[in-house]
Amino acid sequence: MFDQLSQHSKSLHQRAFQTNEGDPHYHETQEIDFDGSQITVPKGDVLYQFRQDTRNGQLPAVSWLCAPQNFSDHPSAPMYGAWYVSEILNILTENPEVWKKTIFILNYDENDGYFDHIPPFVAPKPGDPDTGRTSPGLDYSSEYVTREQEIADGVEEQYATEGPVGLGYRVPLIVASPWTKGGWVNSEVCDITSTIQFMEHFLSHKTGKPITEENISSWRRAITGDLTSVFRPFQRGRETMPPFLDRNAQVAAINRAKDEPAPNGFKKLDAVEINAVRSGKIIGASPPQESGVKPSSALAYELYVHEEWQGGTLKLRFESNKKFFGEQTLGAAFNVYAYGYQSSQAYWSFACSAGNTVSHQWESSRFENSLFSLAIHGPNGFYRAIESAAVLTDPQIQLAYDAQREELIFTLKNTSPQALSFQLKDAYQERNRPILKIAAGKEKQVRISVKEQHRWHDITCSQPGSRCRRQYAGRLENGKVSTSDPLMGKNTSNRPFSQRS
């Protein structure tokens, strides 16, 4: 049937699916003696065709490398992938003329069961506002599978389920190039389509023609990036390459490790330790967070969650504002969780495209003791917590950003007939600010500098003696580079990147 294809179709297939058949020892293995060990290794070159194309200047604009199973880092063979990646970079950097125009992206397609404490952003169920909402114009009809669809596709009714398609749990992605060196991190929300979106961007500029993948929904495009925020201008300096791995030495070391005891360090927790973990305490068996911080890319997020109160109703308006970043502004998704909510539906998905808003409201009667308790998670560490009895003594709080001065601007308005006191606590400064007293019907503005902690913040506003509490956390973006979270890395000093990396 292949012979019946047109020459154009044959060419597409041959260009898209290249193997190592040109290697005279294709699919052969051999036994060798290495450092006193007998090991089995490929007799041929598992990167033969890629090596030849690179050396002969025949690489296409985009190459996809799919590793053989034993080099793919999957659970069935997680041992040899390090050498495979090292050898690809070795091949690409052999010729400086090739490397200076190369972007290497290492992308995993699954997390292999490693626990992820960040639930992924997903689309709400189309037509069901009780599961969440999006700003106008976002199509997420293909991002949710219903029971009816599964049954129509042949799934037995008793096994049919429904739910959102993705984004899915986080997996590693590493970019190596002359424009990404230095061990930086990037916290923009990206997903499996982001590499495609990057190629759209890159190839459209390269060819001068608009190139678009039509199977990416507008919802997904609104909340995920195209990887361009990863790159920075090339900084000329000392150009050194890391030592690349020797395949035989790597395989021999893996073989020797088979005789070593399993490094699992398993410890069964007792009741006291379990209760300590539940209360938020760190115990000796807890894995420690790696200390220090890394330089982090600037991101065009300007996100808000505005509160509007009407009696026992709380209306939240999620916003991606374009005031500071203009057309570069990033849209965002938000996960909202309700605690003590009298319904099986206590989780909602929201999304707003750049420059737009989306709103939803909750009734106090649905919460235990009519006490609102909501947690809101967004991208780049964005977090809001609202605890309120929805009474007159609750303040009206607005948060704005002064990006130039690197300050948070809180406006607290006392709408009650009596004077109120408020306590602001800054987790990064590890201190309480002076008690703030506001007369009845008055408001006050408080500016808090976040410059020292690289614009990261975690501010709690509470009213002593009441159940009223707000928490505002995240990173203020102003177009300048920053660091990873210094509080998480146990480092809130303002030392240069090079001393902290």
Side-chain angles (χ1 to χ4, degrees):
M1 294 180 67
F2 181 79
D3 292 336
Q4 298 172 16
L5 296 175
S6 68
Q7 192 57 44
H8 178 74
S9 296
K10 290 180 180 179
S11 179
L12 281 176
H13 179 89
Q14 290 164 341
R15 290 168 183 265
F17 301 102
Q18 181 61 269
T19 67
N20 294 317
E21 289 173 313
D23 186 344
H25 300 292
Y26 182 51
H27 278 181
E28 294 181 30
T29 61
Q30 61 180 337
E31 297 285 330
I32 65 170
D33 180 83
F34 182 87
D35 198 20
S37 299
Q38 288 291 320
I39 57 176
T40 302
V41 296
K43 188 174 183 179
D45 182 358
V46 298
L47 288 162
Y48 172 84
Q49 193 59 54
F50 178 69
R51 194 185 306 271
Q52 296 301 312
D53 289 344
T54 303
R55 289 176 174 175
N56 297 330
Q58 293 178 332
L59 283 180
V62 179
S63 298
W64 295 85
L65 290 164
C66 296
Q69 180 177 348
N70 278 3
F71 296 95
S72 68
D73 277 346
H74 275 68
S76 58
M79 302 166 289
Y80 306 112
W83 169 81
Y84 189 82
V85 172
S86 172
E87 190 62 14
I88 291 171
L89 288 169
N90 190 12
I91 293 168
L92 289 172
T93 55
E94 279 183 346
N95 185 344
E97 292 301 310
V98 172
W99 179 241
K100 76 178 185 180
K101 54 184 179 181
T102 294
I103 297 167
F104 172 71
I105 301 175
L106 175 62
N107 192 6
Y108 290 76
D109 69 343
E110 57 190 54
N111 64 3
D112 291 337
Y114 286 108
F115 175 71
D116 187 358
H117 68 290
I118 303 296
F121 297 115
V122 297
K125 182 179 180 179
D128 186 356
D130 288 337
T131 64
R133 303 169 184 264
T134 73
S135 57
L138 296 186
D139 179 12
Y140 51 96
S141 57
S142 63
E143 300 289 349
Y144 198 98
V145 176
T146 65
R147 292 186 75 253
E148 292 76 16
Q149 287 173 315
E150 287 216 318
I151 293 171
D153 286 340
V155 178
E156 293 183 34
E157 188 169 350
Q158 60 179 326
Y159 300 119
T161 60
E162 70 175 30
V165 174
L167 299 180
Y169 292 102
R170 296 182 299 177
V171 294
L173 184 139
I174 299 170
V175 182
S177 77
W179 309 278
T180 53
K181 67 179 186 177
W184 287 53
V185 297
N186 185 291
S187 296
E188 182 178 358
V189 175
C190 293
D191 83 319
I192 195 170
T193 71
S194 293
T195 50
I196 302 292
Q197 294 185 59
F198 173 69
M199 284 190 286
E200 289 177 336
H201 176 89
F202 175 80
L203 294 173
S204 293
H205 280 270
K206 183 178 178 66
T207 64
K209 302 175 182 178
I211 296 175
T212 304
E213 167 53 66
E214 297 178 351
N215 291 310
I216 303 175
S217 71
S218 57
W219 171 83
R220 199 169 288 251
R221 287 185 182 278
I223 67 170
T224 62
D226 62 6
L227 299 182
T228 54
S229 62
V230 168
F231 300 95
R232 306 178 307 281
F234 171 69
Q235 298 292 321
R236 183 168 296 281
R238 191 170 56 133
E239 311 301 331
T240 59
M241 291 297 172
F244 298 106
L245 299 179
D246 178 87
R247 185 199 64 182
N248 292 347
Q250 184 83 351
V251 174
I254 291 169
N255 276 12
R256 288 194 296 269
K258 293 176 181 177
D259 298 324
E260 298 292 331
N264 51 31
F266 174 77
K267 179 185 185 301
K268 186 175 182 178
L269 303 184
D270 58 29
V272 174
E273 291 170 317
I274 291 173
N275 288 330
V277 172
R278 285 174 173 166
S279 64
K281 296 179 181 178
I282 298 176
I283 64 175
S286 301
Q289 169 68 38
E290 184 179 357
S291 61
V293 294
K294 290 288 188 180
S296 178
S297 303
L299 302 174
Y301 286 118
E302 186 181 354
L303 306 178
Y304 301 90
V305 177
H306 306 285
E307 301 178 25
E308 297 178 21
W309 294 91
Q310 295 178 351
T313 300
L314 168 62
K315 181 179 180 181
L316 295 182
R317 181 164 54 89
F318 306 88
E319 179 183 14
S320 170
N321 196 294
K322 298 176 72 172
K323 179 180 178 181
F324 190 84
F325 295 105
E327 295 306 311
Q328 302 302 314
T329 302
L330 299 173
F334 301 89
N335 288 340
V336 178
Y337 301 89
Y339 299 96
Y341 195 67
Q342 307 301 306
S343 172
S344 59
Q345 174 63 40
Y347 160 78
W348 298 264
S349 298
F350 298 97
C352 52
S353 53
N356 288 305
T357 65
V358 60
S359 300
H360 193 77
Q361 66 184 35
W362 290 261
E363 303 295 331
S364 61
S365 59
R366 302 295 297 274
F367 290 82
E368 291 180 2
N369 302 318
S370 295
L371 178 66
F372 283 102
S373 183
L374 294 171
I376 304 156
H377 297 261
N380 195 29
F382 182 95
Y383 178 77
R384 298 289 183 268
I386 300 172
E387 290 185 7
S388 170
V391 296
L392 191 61
T393 54
D394 268 6
Q396 292 183 6
I397 305 175
Q398 292 181 336
L399 170 61
Y401 309 122
D402 188 331
Q404 299 291 355
R405 296 177 60 176
E406 301 183 354
E407 292 178 342
L408 306 178
I409 307 172
F410 288 94
T411 302
L412 291 83
K413 185 175 182 180
N414 179 7
T415 59
S416 77
Q418 62 193 48
L420 296 176
S421 298
F422 302 98
Q423 176 76 70
L424 291 173
K425 181 178 181 179
D426 186 343
Y428 286 82
Q429 300 292 337
E430 295 183 342
R431 62 182 175 85
N432 292 330
R433 300 176 67 87
I435 295 290
L436 185 67
K437 295 184 178 181
I438 306 177
K442 300 296 182 180
E443 67 178 47
K444 286 189 177 181
Q445 188 180 93
V446 179
R447 283 179 170 263
I448 299 179
S449 174
V450 293
K451 186 174 184 177
E452 285 187 17
Q453 57 260 28
H454 310 286
R455 305 190 303 279
W456 287 93
H457 52 274
D458 187 348
I459 308 295
T460 301
C461 177
S462 60
Q463 187 180 343
S466 81
R467 299 291 299 271
C468 172
R469 185 181 74 91
R470 304 289 189 277
Q471 187 174 356
Y472 306 84
R475 189 174 83 182
L476 189 159
E477 296 292 343
N478 63 356
K480 298 179 181 179
V481 300
S482 181
T483 72
S484 57
D485 188 346
L487 187 60
M488 185 182 294
K490 305 179 183 65
N491 183 340
T492 56
S493 68
N494 197 26
R495 290 178 289 161
F497 293 150
S498 60
Q499 296 182 37
R500 285 185 274 98
S501 299

